[in-house]
Amino acid sequence: MNSELKRLIKISGTALEAEDRFLREAIAKNQTAYPSGKGGILRINNERYYQFIILRALVSSFPFTAEVEIKSHDLILKYPDDASKWFAVIEMKRWMSSKGEQEIPSVIRDINDKLRPSHAKNTLMLIFSASTSGTINTHLGWLSKRLGISQVEDCSAWESYYFPTVNEVGKDVEFWLASYQVNRANMAPANYGT
């Protein structure tokens, strides 16, 4: 993954972490509405919410024009001097089901139907998830096998960002986002569940 895409993941993760801090502080101050006083970004477990937080961060700090929901793509980054050229197409998915299986078919559909055929210079699959502290590589290994990604053992195919937070019941977890650069040649054709 090139340095611009790695920077994109860092900007995205930093923005989501800042939103988490904001929500945790706001919820702690408003115990009338939130008696537990606990909660963060996982309280709003919504892909579009995460998408717009990332858009806002990219608009202020990334050298490409960012747009959401263009031609059925979650996020497109265009070259500012030629909007017809796309620097990147990014599809985003929450991966939050208890056994992890539920979302796999839709991730594969996005990879096969939206990312692989794209004319963009870069195509990224961005996954949002949460897990107990220190288990991200285990989860990325499991996910890699399900998606047919070749570099399973060390998870080097993924670029990730994670931070500590609490889930909806107040348990300590890590929220993470991980991105995989999809190229026509670097994935086995996956037909999981389709």
Side-chain angles (χ1 to χ4, degrees):
M1 191 172 294
N2 68 45
S3 62
E4 289 169 318
L5 297 177
K6 288 180 179 182
R7 183 170 167 242
L8 181 146
I9 300 307
K10 185 172 182 176
I11 290 168
S12 300
T14 301
L16 292 165
E17 185 174 13
E19 185 71 8
D20 179 69
R21 272 193 313 274
F22 167 79
L23 286 171
R24 289 175 78 174
E25 290 173 14
I27 288 168
K29 290 178 184 175
N30 186 3
Q31 292 194 16
T32 301
Y34 306 97
S36 73
K38 295 188 178 200
I41 198 161
L42 289 168
R43 181 173 285 281
I44 307 171
N45 189 6
N46 184 301
E47 180 181 308
R48 293 219 177 180
Y49 173 58
Y50 304 151
Q51 186 178 25
F52 281 98
I53 292 168
I54 290 170
L55 171 71
R56 186 175 58 198
L58 293 174
V59 164
S60 67
S61 60
F62 208 58
F64 300 95
T65 305
E67 297 181 25
V68 293
E69 299 300 329
I70 302 295
K71 295 186 179 182
S72 79
H73 293 296
D74 291 336
L75 178 66
I76 291 178
L77 299 173
K78 297 178 179 180
Y79 289 93
D81 57 344
D82 186 352
S84 68
K85 291 184 180 177
W86 295 358
F87 170 74
V89 169
I90 302 163
E91 293 301 322
M92 303 178 190
K93 286 289 184 227
R94 288 180 313 102
W95 188 47
M96 302 284 189
S97 64
S98 62
K99 295 186 180 181
E101 298 281 347
Q102 180 180 331
E103 299 90 344
I104 300 298
S106 63
V107 171
I108 290 171
R109 272 192 300 279
D110 278 0
I111 288 169
N112 290 334
D113 299 346
K114 295 180 180 183
L115 294 175
R116 281 190 174 154
S118 173
H119 69 275
K121 179 179 178 182
N122 300 286
T123 52
L124 296 175
M125 186 74 236
L126 183 60
I127 306 287
F128 306 105
S129 194
S131 57
T132 54
S133 181
T135 62
I136 184 174
N137 284 338
T138 301
H139 292 287
L140 289 177
W142 186 93
L143 185 59
S144 294
K145 288 178 187 175
R146 297 312 183 279
L147 298 178
I149 296 171
S150 59
Q151 298 171 336
V152 174
E153 296 303 320
D154 64 0
C155 301
S156 63
W158 296 89
E159 185 68 24
S160 62
Y161 186 100
Y162 54 92
F163 55 88
T165 188
V166 294
N167 65 15
E168 62 282 353
V169 295
K171 181 181 174 189
D172 291 334
V173 296
E174 284 180 341
F175 180 94
W176 53 268
L177 63 151
S179 182
Y180 178 74
Q181 187 168 8
V182 175
N183 298 318
R184 286 178 178 83
N186 65 358
M187 286 188 72
N191 293 315
Y192 183 90
T194 58

